[in-house]
Amino acid sequence: MDLSLTTRQEDNHTVVVVGGEIDVYTAPKLREQLIDLVSAGSYHLVVDMEGVEFLDSTGLGVLVGGLKRVRAHEGSLRLVCTQERILKIFRITGLTKVFPIHSSVEDALAAHE
Amino acid sequence: MSATESAAVRASESDPANVIWPILLVEDDDADAYLVSELLDEAAAPVEVTRVRTVAEAVRGSAGSACVLLDLGLPDSEGLSALRRLLAVESGAPVVVLTGLVDEYRGAEAVAGGAQDYLVKGQVNGRDLVRAVRYAIERKRADTAARALRESELRANERARLERGLLPRPLYDDRRLRHTARYRPGRRQSLLGGDFYDMVSTPDGTVHVLLGDVCGHGPDEAALGVSLRIAWRTLVLAGVPEADRLGYLQRVLVSERLHDEIFATVCALSVAPDRESARMRLAGHPPPALLHPRLAALPGAVVGPALGILDEDLTEEVHVELGSRWAVLLATDGLLEGRDGPGGEPLGWEGVLPEISRLWPDGGPDHLLDSLIDRVEARNGGPLTDDVALLLLLWGDD
């Protein structure tokens, strides 16, 4: 299973839609995408994880790395996730305190207002 | 196994009479090539000769041959450079060089440079030629086996060294508090990953326990795990209060890690001097499970981010009542992330506790830990992805 990535602009945010498995093999692709966005001046990101089927510690590390990068520019990184299996990973690792997690892209965009 | 090795192994393990060695003859002179083939025929040698005229062709064919017979005077190569190119071929065949009478001295140079043997054209007979080929194949095979053995010894030493660093001799003196630990590396690497644990007591009688996991797999993570374990041990011995330890540990992690996506999860327990309660801190780590007096995961809702994610330490202390006789199992998430069948959901304690109930308390601690990992692997449908470290603490009479 591979990782799929698409991006689109909504308001002043860049929405990154992630699908498939984020693991030690595919995480570099997501890392590159986040780095490219920040380098291009996109500091407010919404990562839509509704299509993510698997997430391991390397993937978490990449998301955390992305958060650090946008924060360095006073930006934000919000996650969209309603899948219990993925939410559980964020809860167990204490990352619910680090990432704002929303139930839809609309919620994430509204929360920023 | 390479084609060369397999050819050589076949040659040595089977009945020699039935083995045909693929020999690569590198010779530009038709008359000399004919001569060599005749000698091999004359000796009824069990060989199948492929003749090529250039070093470039020989380099391509080397790995598929059992032995290369190389004429040192080829047109596309000067002196010993042909030999060097052939010896540089990965899993290449052993090389026996052929020289003319006038340049026999170059044969000796070739052997010094890595050829198995040299033969002088016009002087060698069929039997000597076959013997040289046979010895070359056998020597190469022995060298390969010796190198493989040496490499596996080095790996084993490395692993033992890391294992000693990661899984220490605990520093506490309380015979009634027993512990048993297990470590099983995940399937992604043969070396240890970054799981670690330690136990240290302070003069007031408290026993401090740490179990952690550096994200990622491999020797770098394992080395970082050792650093964190020793840093934590030092913090405890130096009398640094529990509330400050993980903050310091995080600073050590941040300063020692290879890149800023590396983080570590830890579970820290401080078992009170009367052993009836403990204080717990979780940084991105699943809580331990109580096995006795009842089977249940300890509360895991109060968990701070793993170390290395934020600049500050956000863990909070949780008080855990244990009672007068108890068993607690600390685990890294390698165990809890075992899936319920291929592609299934991670088991978590909900899935693992029922397995424990089938193994505990019958059979004792060692049996529990070994069998538990086996059972979770079986549920997972194969070896677990991540490393597993387990630490079982037992207090009170059996």
Side-chain angles (χ1 to χ4, degrees):
Chain A
M1 185 68 202
D2 205 8
L3 177 78
S4 67
L5 289 173
T6 57
T7 61
R8 65 172 192 268
Q9 286 299 128
E10 284 213 23
D11 302 339
N12 55 342
H13 281 68
T14 303
V15 180
V16 183
V17 184
V18 190
E21 305 201 344
I22 313 178
D23 62 14
V24 65
Y25 304 108
T26 62
K29 206 169 141 188
L30 178 60
R31 180 189 297 124
E32 267 174 48
Q33 175 75 80
L34 296 179
I35 290 173
D36 287 350
L37 287 170
V38 174
S39 311
S42 300
Y43 304 140
H44 293 284
L45 307 178
V46 174
V47 179
D48 182 348
M49 314 222 359
E50 290 296 74
V52 171
E53 287 160 27
F54 179 79
L55 175 66
D56 79 352
S57 59
T58 317
L60 288 175
V62 168
L63 291 171
V64 169
L67 180 69
K68 285 180 177 164
R69 285 189 187 91
V70 294
R71 279 193 180 165
H73 299 276
E74 320 264 298
S76 62
L77 195 160
R78 297 171 179 279
L79 301 178
V80 175
C81 180
T82 59
Q83 297 185 74
E84 184 51 33
R85 61 194 295 185
I86 304 292
L87 287 172
K88 203 162 125 190
I89 296 168
F90 285 99
R91 272 201 299 275
I92 289 171
T93 51
L95 289 174
T96 45
K97 293 182 181 169
V98 177
F99 289 105
I101 300 181
H102 303 275
S103 55
S104 69
V105 173
E106 292 68 39
D107 279 5
L109 295 173
H112 185 73
E113 299 304 322
Chain B
M1 184 180 277
S2 74
T4 313
E5 278 174 292
S6 56
V9 167
R10 272 203 312 277
S12 67
E13 284 177 357
S14 317
D15 178 357
N18 296 328
V19 174
I20 304 293
W21 287 319
I23 302 294
L24 192 64
L25 173 62
V26 193
E27 174 64 82
D28 66 311
D29 186 293
D30 288 342
D32 284 350
Y34 177 75
L35 179 72
V36 171
S37 296
E38 281 294 292
L39 285 172
L40 290 168
D41 275 353
E42 166 199 313
V47 299
E48 187 179 290
V49 179
T50 303
R51 186 219 171 172
V52 296
R53 293 165 193 272
T54 65
V55 180
E57 289 172 278
V59 164
R60 283 195 294 277
S62 170
S65 305
C67 183
V68 176
L69 287 173
L70 170 69
D71 176 14
L72 277 186
L74 291 175
D76 68 339
S77 164
E78 283 295 317
L80 298 173
S81 75
L83 175 66
R84 279 194 288 273
R85 284 173 64 188
L86 279 166
L87 292 176
V89 174
E90 194 167 338
S91 304
V95 180
V96 173
V97 300
L98 305 169
T99 71
L101 194 52
V102 291
D103 53 0
E104 187 179 343
Y105 67 96
R106 290 172 61 197
E109 285 176 16
V111 169
Q116 293 283 348
D117 205 346
Y118 77 94
L119 302 166
V120 181
K121 287 185 282 191
Q123 290 203 323
V124 65
N125 63 31
R127 240 176 56 192
D128 291 344
L129 178 57
V130 172
R131 193 163 55 214
V133 167
R134 186 190 302 274
Y135 283 6
I137 292 168
E138 290 297 332
R139 267 197 304 267
K140 172 80 176 187
R141 185 176 151 272
D143 284 354
T144 305
R147 190 159 47 221
L149 181 65
R150 178 74 188 133
E151 281 170 6
S152 82
E153 278 173 356
L154 283 173
R155 270 200 303 276
N157 287 343
E158 181 79 357
R159 182 169 159 176
R161 191 156 46 241
L162 283 170
E163 199 157 27
R164 277 197 302 278
L166 290 161
L167 311 179
R169 181 184 292 273
L171 270 182
Y172 73 96
D173 186 19
D174 181 345
R175 286 182 184 192
R176 290 185 66 206
L177 180 63
R178 289 170 295 146
H179 77 278
T180 307
R182 282 295 180 283
Y183 195 106
R184 193 173 296 182
R187 69 175 149 86
R188 279 189 181 143
Q189 84 293 328
S190 56
L191 272 164
L192 292 173
D195 293 3
F196 56 94
Y197 83 84
D198 205 353
M199 295 173 72
V200 180
S201 61
T202 42
D204 67 349
T206 303
V207 172
H208 306 268
V209 182
L210 184 78
L211 181 83
D213 178 4
V214 177
C215 73
H217 321 264
D220 291 332
E221 287 78 9
L224 187 54
V226 175
S227 307
L228 293 178
R229 182 187 70 72
I230 292 171
W232 179 84
R233 173 173 274 209
T234 307
L235 291 167
V236 178
L237 290 175
V240 172
E242 282 158 48
D244 299 336
R245 286 178 201 155
L246 297 187
Y248 283 119
L249 206 55
Q250 174 159 266
R251 285 169 65 179
V252 172
L253 169 74
V254 167
S255 63
E256 297 291 322
R257 66 185 170 187
L258 281 178
H259 59 84
D260 68 3
E261 284 174 10
I262 289 181
F263 57 87
T265 69
V266 299
C267 167
L269 275 185
S270 293
V271 183
D274 67 5
R275 309 284 181 253
E276 299 209 346
S277 68
R279 295 179 297 276
M280 175 174 77
R281 279 174 190 274
L282 299 174
H285 202 89
L290 198 60
L291 306 194
H292 185 88
R294 61 185 189 287
L295 200 59
L298 293 177
V302 181
V303 52
L307 305 182
I309 287 178
L310 299 179
D311 296 331
E312 64 275 34
D313 162 35
L314 290 184
T315 59
E316 289 172 51
E317 183 179 294
V318 177
H319 181 84
V320 180
E321 279 302 323
L322 294 169
S324 58
R325 192 175 153 227
W326 49 264
V328 166
L329 178 63
L330 291 85
T332 54
D333 59 9
L335 184 80
L336 304 175
E337 280 177 358
R339 298 204 197 183
D340 195 3
E345 295 294 313
L347 290 169
W349 282 123
E350 309 89 89
V352 170
L353 289 178
E355 297 294 340
I356 293 175
S357 71
R358 295 188 187 101
L359 300 165
W360 178 260
D362 306 331
D366 289 303
H367 172 73
L368 169 69
L369 299 189
D370 289 332
S371 305
L372 182 60
I373 301 178
D374 289 343
R375 291 191 81 123
V376 169
E377 281 192 339
R379 284 276 291 271
N380 189 60
L384 298 166
T385 307
D386 205 351
D387 315 308
V388 176
L390 298 177
L391 176 60
L392 178 63
L393 305 177
L394 298 156
W395 168 255
D397 302 318
D398 289 330

